[in-house]
Amino acid sequence: MTNLSGMLPEFGQLALIFALLVAAVQMVVPLVGVRRGQAWLMAYARPLASAQALFLIISLVILAYCFVVDDFSVAYVAKNSNTALPTAYKISAVWGAHEGSLLLWVTMLGCWGLAVAWFSQSLPLDMVARVLSIMGMVSVGFILFTLETSNPFDRNLPSMPQEGADLNPLLQDFGLIVHPPTLYMGYVGLSVVFAFALAALLGGRLDAAWARWSRPWTIAAWVFLTLGIALGSWWAYYELGWGGWWFWDPVENASLMPWLVATALLHSLAVTEKRGLFKSWTVLLAIFAFSLSLLGTFLVRSGVLTSVHAFASDPERGVFILALLGICVGGSLLLYAIKAPTVASVGRYEWVSRESFLLLNNLLLLVAAFAILLGTLYPLIIDFMGMGKLSVGAAWFNFMFVPISVLLALVIALGAMARWKADDLKRLGSETVAAMVAAVLLGLAVPLLADGTMNWQVLLGMGISFWLIGATLLDVWKKARGRLNRIPQLGMSYLGMVLAHIGVAITIIGVTMVSNYSIEVSARMAKGDTETLGDYRFEFVDAGHIEGPNFVSDAIRFRVYDGERQIALLQPEKRRYNASGSIMTEAAIDVSLLRDVYVSMGEPLADGAWGIRLQVKPFMRWVWLGAIFMSLGGLMAMLDKRYRQRKNAPNNAVQASTAQEVTA
Amino acid sequence: MHPKRKKRLTLILFMVLGVGSAVGLLMYSLSQNINLFMTPTQIATGEAPVGRTIRAGGLVEPGTVVRDDSGLGVRFVVTDGQSEVTIAYDGILPDLFREGQGIVAMGKLGEDGVFVASEVLAKHDENYMPPEVQEALDKAHKDGKQALEEARY
């Protein structure tokens, strides 16, 4: 028994190898079935996908178990865990570094395959076979990468360490338990959309039915991406200790780019489903979205971000991912080049129509994604060419992202309310007059009420948000023909869209307010000192020591007063982690819907004084609240009943005809 | 020309123009917004522009960190093993700022040769060396590792 449990890591690796073999079969057999028109071969796709997922899950669970029982004979566990680490963090340490993150990545890929296998009952068998075969290809590439370059089950034998090196203290936190899995679910979920697009290209069936199948999967991946990005921002905000919530850091950019393209894809899919237009464009977006999530993986995992030279010193991983990226992007674009010209989009639309507005929204989103790509890769290219070291400042990203967002917000409301085929600007204008007036008045009022000076950024940000909310609600009111009880009948899909668009406005409000009206002061404070910031007064009550499970910390108690009323007792900490000796700042935050009060400790100075950073950040929560609205909206749209139609559902002519093709 | 083709042509022209001007604008603004990295040697030889936002970095020279008696002002010297530059900063230093550590500062070089930092970066890893600093050390005449060893004592 002891022998067997001692061999657990080998079983984990074995499960991973089995998963690779199953994925290889999944890649080949169903496609052969499609080629030969043999349904029994195609039917292998679903059980193979399930088996692959099962093996991957076994492998991941075994790795987690090795962490829980402190099996330091496994090199990855020894590097990223410690006996004193709380159990929850031992489990999240599974994805705390490179090897385990990759295992999580491929396991999620397997789980998405499993989901496709289960929830594709209404799909024709040849489509399922193609989709799962393409997902099998992606799996083969990434499991091979994991086994070849980053095996999490590598052993420290025969001399295993008695104690582990500990998980990076930054990552010992609730945010890290949830942020990476959510984000990865989004990244990897885009592989389903990608597989659907390629399968449709292969089968020459880019039609409304294909768009309808792809939509819920795209939305699902997008919801995870949205939540993952928001969680990452929230985590950075409270854990890095200085209250920044977006840094235009390459790793963040790597997650924002696929999000922007996936957002464009969602809207383009809507046009393809409803009007049969933009087909090749939609396919291209699906390819781009997944390629960008692979590029993100490459940037984060290859080491090029720390330095192009780090890439050169450990080239195996980087070259492998770069090759995968090349095969994936190159192969799919080649297929696109061969097949897309045969795809004709029929149907016409006028300059002023929902199609045009959605196209404009697509272009804006793509320009934003491209600009971020440029800003992220530019320093790498310059460095690679030996032209010096430079960095692109946040100022540049803001400079280009803000105007695009403003234009985008303008178009969002119009796109949602305009009619298909042809509409009239006058009609759109007359129906939204109330929203325009409200937007201008409220946009003017907010900066004047806030500090009495006219701030055009605030005017623009607030105006655009009020316009978006106002126009969206006016449209709901009109569609419900002025009756509240008719609103639920408008359909989950439409209401989900409304919620998501309002979410965009909420995020813009948050970003505008927190960027323009945040105040902060860094001060030298000792016991008994008080400091005033805005309406708030901070009193340094006393300082003390705290013994944590695997750290010791200096802590300070602050009383925060609004006038004479005490509103919060805050206790920031400066932690020192025993195993690694790392120092960590734990900020203390008093949260409310209208403002965050943020206190963090700097360094100890002479005579028991500390450098203290105090911040008041208005509407901070709105930035993430908007993301929650967007995700809920996505969730509602996914639940729309038209995605759950079975084969025998009425007026489903498209699927009936495709079913005939298969049997023919 | 067929009206449908004409419309498609207009659309394509519109898109090409739009994308072209967008790229042009992006590249131009990018060139205005990059922050060059300068080594202490480059600053000492006068290669670094005065009064423009740049980044500078090196190892914090032991024994040079001087704090103000009141407030949060601090001055320290960074070196690449060949030249030194004094950095002045008013604010809270990152958790891993310490003597002998490699740091990167963002700010402006003053006429007096003192680099006034608006931000000081040190990564959350004991053994991490900012790549720019590593390269600066390598570039300076002394061997980078040797300078690192000496600086650590």
Side-chain angles (χ1 to χ4, degrees), chain A residues 513-524:
Chain A
M513 294 301 282
V514 80
S515 310
N516 285 286
Y517 295 122
S518 285
I519 41 177
E520 72 164 79
V521 61
S522 296
R524 183 191 186 105

Side-chain angles (χ1 to χ4, degrees), chain A residues 67 76 85-97 167 171-174 176-178 180:
Chain A
F67 269 98
Y76 181 70
L85 197 63
T87 307
Y89 296 146
K90 281 182 183 169
I91 292 171
S92 70
V94 168
W95 51 85
L167 177 65
L171 309 181
Q172 296 183 25
D173 174 79
F174 172 75
L176 189 90
I177 297 182
V178 288

Side-chain angles (χ1 to χ4, degrees), chain A residues 126-320:
Chain A
D126 64 329
M127 191 72 183
V128 176
R130 286 198 189 95
V131 168
L132 288 177
S133 167
I134 290 160
M135 292 188 71
M137 291 178 202
V138 180
S139 283
V140 167
F142 275 87
I143 300 176
L144 208 57
F145 176 57
T146 311
L147 282 168
E148 275 296 305
T149 70
S150 335
N151 187 350
F153 296 105
D154 275 348
R155 297 273 219 161
N156 271 329
L157 292 173
S159 56
M160 62 177 261
Q162 289 305 302
E163 185 56 282
D166 205 6
L167 177 65
N168 183 345
L170 265 180
L171 309 181
Q172 296 183 25
D173 174 79
F174 172 75
L176 189 90
I177 297 182
V178 288
H179 161 59
T182 317
L183 193 61
Y184 286 5
M185 278 302 273
Y187 276 158
V188 182
L190 289 175
S191 73
V192 180
V193 187
F194 171 77
F196 265 97
L198 289 199
L201 267 185
L202 276 175
R205 196 195 287 142
L206 288 168
D207 52 17
W210 157 70
R212 187 162 63 240
W213 298 324
S214 300
R215 272 181 91 180
W217 298 101
T218 313
I219 300 173
W222 178 86
V223 166
F224 279 114
L225 263 184
T226 311
L227 283 176
I229 295 171
L231 282 169
S233 154
W234 173 64
W235 171 77
Y237 168 76
Y238 71 77
E239 188 65 14
L240 296 185
W242 49 282
W245 48 273
W246 192 263
F247 306 91
W248 294 111
D249 175 274
V251 179
E252 289 170 329
N253 296 348
S255 65
L256 190 61
M257 288 185 284
W259 185 85
L260 290 166
V261 177
T263 310
L265 174 62
L266 277 181
H267 294 88
S268 176
L269 270 171
V271 181
T272 307
E273 189 200 348
K274 298 280 182 187
R275 298 271 298 123
L277 289 163
F278 301 174
K279 286 175 188 166
S280 10
W281 175 247
T282 306
V283 171
L284 204 56
L285 285 179
I287 295 174
F288 280 168
F290 185 56
S291 303
L292 282 173
S293 72
L294 288 187
L295 181 74
T297 313
F298 167 72
L299 286 177
V300 176
R301 290 286 152 228
S302 65
V304 290
L305 287 182
T306 30
S307 160
V308 287
H309 307 287
F311 179 56
S313 64
D314 180 19
E316 200 188 356
R317 286 175 181 169
V319 169
F320 205 122

Side-chain angles (χ1 to χ4, degrees), chain A residues 580-622:
Chain A
S580 54
S582 311
I583 309 283
M584 277 287 308
T585 303
E586 284 288 311
I589 309 168
D590 183 53
V591 171
S592 82
L593 195 57
L594 293 183
R595 56 103 191 97
D596 275 17
V597 174
Y598 191 110
V599 179
S600 56
M601 293 163 67
E603 330 113 79
L605 306 168
D607 311 325
W610 285 80
I612 303 289
R613 175 177 285 148
L614 308 167
Q615 301 179 70
V616 178
K617 304 177 90 74
F619 288 73
M620 187 64 239
R621 299 285 135 185
W622 289 50

